[in-house]
Amino acid sequence: MILKSRLTYSVCKTLYKRMTQYQSFSNQRNISKYKILGIETTCDDTGAAVVDENAHILGNALHSQTSISVSLGGVLPPYAKALHEKHIHNIVQDALTQAGVEIQDLDAVAVAVEPGLPLSLDVGLKHAQKLVMENRVPLIPVHHMEAHALTARMIDSVEFPFLVLLVSGGHCLLAVARDIDDFLLLGSSIDNAPGEIFDKVARRMKLKNLPQCYGKSGGASIELMAQQGDPDMFEAPHVYTKSRSCNFSFAGMKAHYCTYIEQEEKKQGIVASGVISNAADVCASFQFAVLRHMCRPIERAFRFCDYNNLLPETKTLVVSGGVACNQYLRAGLQRVSPLGQDISEEVTRENIKVIPMKL
């Protein structure tokens, strides 16, 4: 609950800078600290949180649709919308109750407005609009991915500028964060997002039929199975190696593993809901292939930033988004260093801060 809600916390904290322009607003309300409600309905989870200007979390609540999405074989927008509509009122009220505040005590309502599933976003926006109209407080529209990028500033002392990798089910973006609303995009996925191919490979392998994977997302299932597998049992494919850009490409990787799984099913005589016997090895190899591919553009980005003086001498890489919860990927990304230094030391040139956003 807390990890996912960090998105709404960052929404509120990072937008405080903008609100300080309106000092008369504070004087009229006679308040000592801003209290902001954040609402997040970008995909399949309904989240709300109340924070103050010092990033203190006063209250938060979340309703997760993960188990339903897994049973349906993925996120179905109409179902997601219906569940958002069913739970958003109670989620917001729970967050306010935990915070010990009433709606009229709020100084603003922040809501994610893009990008995301349009049907899901619409639920959060309409609820936020209703609240601000009834209570005459400002509405703060928030860019979903910018909020992901800035969450680290609520958790650690991260100063601008820094390099940020946003990896989720719908995006893969590599950028330099220069200020709260100032980003220099260095690279992105030219096809699929990493979280998307985790889900599709897991679905093709039918991992949800395994008892240990019941109710888990595709990414969580692959991570769990990979712990028991050997990534060297067969060679992981190299993809998108001829490009010297900071872009990513995951479509070829997805096709390679889906084809291999199909071949193994025929070879092993797997039918219906059966799962291939070497599923753990496939998961381990797949996970390694994703990590290796992600590291190359990051190294190029560090070198590009060095050459163009885009980052300070002490560099920071923030990795955020749902895919950042994968412990294997987090550990691997912490080893990325163009100069081959040990990034575990605080004085190193590349200090990796990985901020998970979703369980």
Side-chain angles (χ1 to χ4, degrees), residues 14-32:
T14 57
L15 284 162
Y16 168 66
K17 178 180 178 182
R18 300 176 187 175
M19 291 186 62
T20 55
Q21 301 174 27
Y22 306 99
Q23 293 297 328
S24 60
F25 174 73
S26 176
N27 296 332
Q28 292 172 8
R29 298 285 298 238
N30 192 27
I31 58 174
S32 57

Side-chain angles (χ1 to χ4, degrees), residues 38-323:
I39 298 175
E40 195 269 307
T41 58
T42 56
C43 188
D44 58 340
D45 288 345
T46 311
V50 179
V51 300
D52 65 22
E53 64 188 62
N54 295 320
H56 295 143
I57 302 164
L58 306 180
N60 73 96
L62 177 81
H63 176 266
S64 175
Q65 301 179 20
T66 299
S67 60
I68 296 175
S69 297
V70 170
S71 66
L72 294 174
V75 179
L76 299 183
Y79 282 86
K81 176 186 178 182
L83 290 172
H84 282 310
E85 291 174 334
K86 178 180 179 180
H87 295 285
I88 190 167
H89 175 77
N90 289 338
I91 290 298
V92 169
Q93 289 303 312
D94 288 348
L96 292 171
T97 299
Q98 287 185 33
V101 299
E102 301 292 336
I103 286 288
Q104 55 267 30
D105 298 326
L106 296 174
D107 302 296
V109 176
V111 59
V113 296
E114 65 170 345
L117 298 178
L119 292 178
S120 295
L121 288 168
D122 188 58
V123 176
L125 179 58
K126 285 183 177 178
H127 193 79
Q129 289 173 327
K130 178 175 179 291
L131 293 178
V132 301
M133 291 295 292
E134 292 177 348
N135 298 278
R136 301 183 66 81
V137 295
L139 175 68
I140 305 174
V142 177
H143 190 283
H144 178 195
M145 301 312 294
E146 289 183 4
H148 270 305
L150 298 171
T151 302
R153 289 169 53 80
M154 290 197 64
I155 312 301
D156 296 288
S157 298
V158 181
E159 298 297 329
F160 294 112
F162 57 86
L163 189 67
V164 57
L165 173 68
L166 305 174
V167 278
S168 67
H171 299 86
C172 185
L173 305 171
L174 187 59
V176 177
R178 298 182 288 201
D179 206 336
I180 286 177
D181 55 359
D182 184 7
F183 294 85
L184 174 63
L185 183 64
L186 301 181
S188 62
S189 175
I190 64 171
D191 39 58
N192 301 113
E196 178 187 358
I197 67 166
F198 265 94
D199 286 340
K200 289 184 176 179
V201 170
R203 190 183 312 157
R204 182 62 189 82
M205 221 176 329
K206 296 171 285 188
L207 294 182
K208 70 175 185 178
N209 295 332
L210 298 175
Q212 61 268 42
C213 297
Y214 179 75
K216 294 183 178 294
S217 66
S221 297
I222 287 180
E223 182 180 8
L224 176 65
M225 293 293 293
Q227 294 174 4
Q228 309 300 321
D230 182 357
D232 297 323
M233 286 301 294
F234 60 94
E235 186 176 358
H238 290 268
V239 297
Y240 204 56
T241 56
K242 294 183 179 180
S243 172
R244 295 183 180 273
S245 71
C246 293
N247 289 329
F248 304 84
S249 176
F250 297 97
M253 194 181 304
K254 177 189 69 174
H256 174 88
Y257 282 95
C258 286
T259 299
Y260 178 82
I261 294 166
E262 182 180 2
Q263 293 172 347
E264 283 296 294
E265 287 179 340
K266 292 179 179 178
K267 185 188 302 183
Q268 298 179 25
I270 303 297
V271 296
S273 61
V275 179
I276 57 177
S277 60
N278 57 340
D281 293 334
V282 175
C283 289
S285 173
F286 171 76
Q287 199 170 231
F288 171 73
V290 172
L291 172 63
R292 182 175 61 188
H293 178 57
M294 290 171 59
C295 286
R296 287 172 179 152
I298 295 173
E299 290 181 351
R300 292 192 191 108
F302 271 129
R303 295 180 183 274
F304 177 81
C305 291
D306 256 341
Y307 183 79
N308 292 279
N309 296 317
L310 296 176
L311 295 175
E313 185 173 354
T314 300
K315 297 176 173 59
T316 299
L317 169 65
V318 170
V319 184
S320 187
V323 178

